[in-house]
Amino acid sequence: SKMTVKAVKMPCTSANIYTKVPDGGWGWTVAFAFFVVEALTYGIIKSFGVFFNDLMESFDETNSRISWIISICVFVQTFTAPLSTVLSNRFGHRLVVMAGGLLVSTGMVIASFARTVVDMYVTIGIVSGLGYCLSFLPTVTILSQYFDKRRSLVTAVASTGECFAVFSFAPAITALKEQIGWRYSMLSVGVLQLGITACGSLLRPIVIREQEEVKAQPPEESTETKYMLENEQTCTSIESIDSGVDITTSPSNVPGKTKAEPKSEEPKQHGQNPVENNSTPPEPKSKLLDFSVMRDYSFICYAFFGLFATLGFFAPSLYIIPLSRSLGIGKDHSAYILSAMAIAEVFGRIFAGWVLNKKPIRKIYIELICVILLSVALVAFPFASGFWGLMICSVYFGFMLGTVAGTHIPLLAEDDVVGIEKMSSAAGVYVFIQSLAGLAGPPLAGVLVDTTKNYSSAFYSCAAGMVLGAVFLALVRPCKTGLCHHQQQLQQVEESTAGPPPELPDDFIDMDIGKAENSGKGSDSV
């Protein structure tokens, strides 16, 4: 019991200790930090379209070459996800996020002085891309650990940070460019992103000591129970002990104090070791990155869903302003369309979190419905004409994007995919697999635009990827059901082979005491 007390009284500067998932507490501060991190990472990435035409004019480059800036950034961000997981498990989420914030800000500030598009590839693509990975993934992972029942709702609401960022940054940066130019505007954005470092300092690690709470024993334990355990482990009874043993309830009168001490000491220590291992937290050699999730068929299908769905995440927000300009819509109105998309995404994320928070609902099926409706939204863009046509499509797309983008990573913590125990490693592997689509998506859309001279082809490519993602998402639950059924069968076979452990009757002590008394009486009568 002393060890348990010491564990609970560890300083809160190193970790927050709970006996169960708090569903609140310091988790609300972590949720606020995640809100700001979302705004300064994905919010900036999605707002980068406001610099698109300026970069094309300044560097005299094509759509596809400018698209590589965000493409490399997204690729590095997702490709280095396992590195983020390893560093977080080794050094803690707080330090990793703070380092990521410094990288993000440094890359964006240096990019404001770039002279060629290749400089942008290195600064924003590689430096800031790595910083985005180190900032975002550890934050969403630790947030999932602070919540259980409210996880879907809290994560969805906190993830609206990027939506508010796009809503506010797009018109603000557009207005700022008119005053100081795109270079100083980009420099200002880089300085603002230092806020990620401050948010990282708020990410206290969380430790759940649930096992210790269960294993805690009352201060006084009956001697009969100790005798029962002693005799079960040594395969002896009281009858085999010298008749000089006094059976009392005195705490000092334990089997270790009897004449049979030499015989029972070794087995007693033998039996105590497992108890100590269970009552104290393991001295774990925990894996920094657990690739065993790749043997889970449901996770493989979910990873392929993320791979193809990523094609539809970034290209629409990147090309919505060029598409609106090609239809003769002015700069200010184009920025309003992007802002409306961001506001609709806020409501989509909140709605998805509210729906997924309902207990009777199978969350993976709700996600599938949202992905199908998102595919419809992508197909609708090429048929829009004029300001209001694009506005309606953007609002619809933003709402459906919010339902998917705010939940697809937290859903890894659900039992239908991998569960909360493997959430950290699964998130790293999942985002790593997404990197291929993040690298190929925007340039592929840019090549199609340059070839067809029509921005509609970019949205068609996104819709095709989203449809493929929906197919793999539909296979997640069937794969999980079949795998779990197979595992249960293996467990049943093992249990039937090993056989149940022998059970000790409740009256074991009484029977042995009775035997001892009877033998004593028999000797006296003789």
Side-chain angles (χ1 to χ4, degrees), residues 108-110 112-113 182-192:
M108 190 65 70
V109 169
I110 297 176
S112 64
F113 300 98
W182 71 267
R183 289 186 180 276
Y184 286 108
S185 299
M186 190 173 290
L187 176 64
S188 302
V189 170
V191 174
L192 182 64

Side-chain angles (χ1 to χ4, degrees), residues 76-78 80-82 84 128-138 431:
V76 172
Q77 177 188 2
T78 52
T80 55
S84 174
S128 291
L130 178 60
Y132 286 135
C133 177
L134 299 182
S135 302
F136 172 77
L137 198 57
V431 177

Side-chain angles (χ1 to χ4, degrees), residues 220-224 226-227 245-258:
E220 294 184 1
E221 190 178 29
S222 63
T223 307
E224 287 81 6
K226 292 182 179 180
Y227 267 105
V245 177
D246 293 330
I247 303 176
T248 67
T249 57
S250 171
S252 62
N253 227 358
V254 294
K257 301 293 183 180
T258 66

Side-chain angles (χ1 to χ4, degrees), residues 223-241 247 503-516:
T223 307
E224 287 81 6
T225 304
K226 292 182 179 180
Y227 267 105
M228 182 175 65
L229 294 174
E230 179 72 17
N231 286 297
E232 181 182 4
Q233 292 166 1
T234 59
C235 298
T236 62
S237 67
I238 298 178
E239 188 177 17
S240 64
I241 303 177
I247 303 176
E503 295 183 358
L504 198 63
D506 294 336
D507 57 349
F508 176 78
I509 300 297
D510 296 336
M511 294 172 60
D512 277 355
I513 294 176
K515 290 181 180 180

Side-chain angles (χ1 to χ4, degrees), residues 13 17 21 24 100 115 136 138 166 189-190 232 288 291 296 332 337 389 405:
T13 54
I17 311 297
V21 178
R115 296 301 173 187
F136 172 77
V166 175
V189 170
E232 181 182 4
L288 295 179
F291 277 101
D296 192 332
D332 294 337
I337 292 175

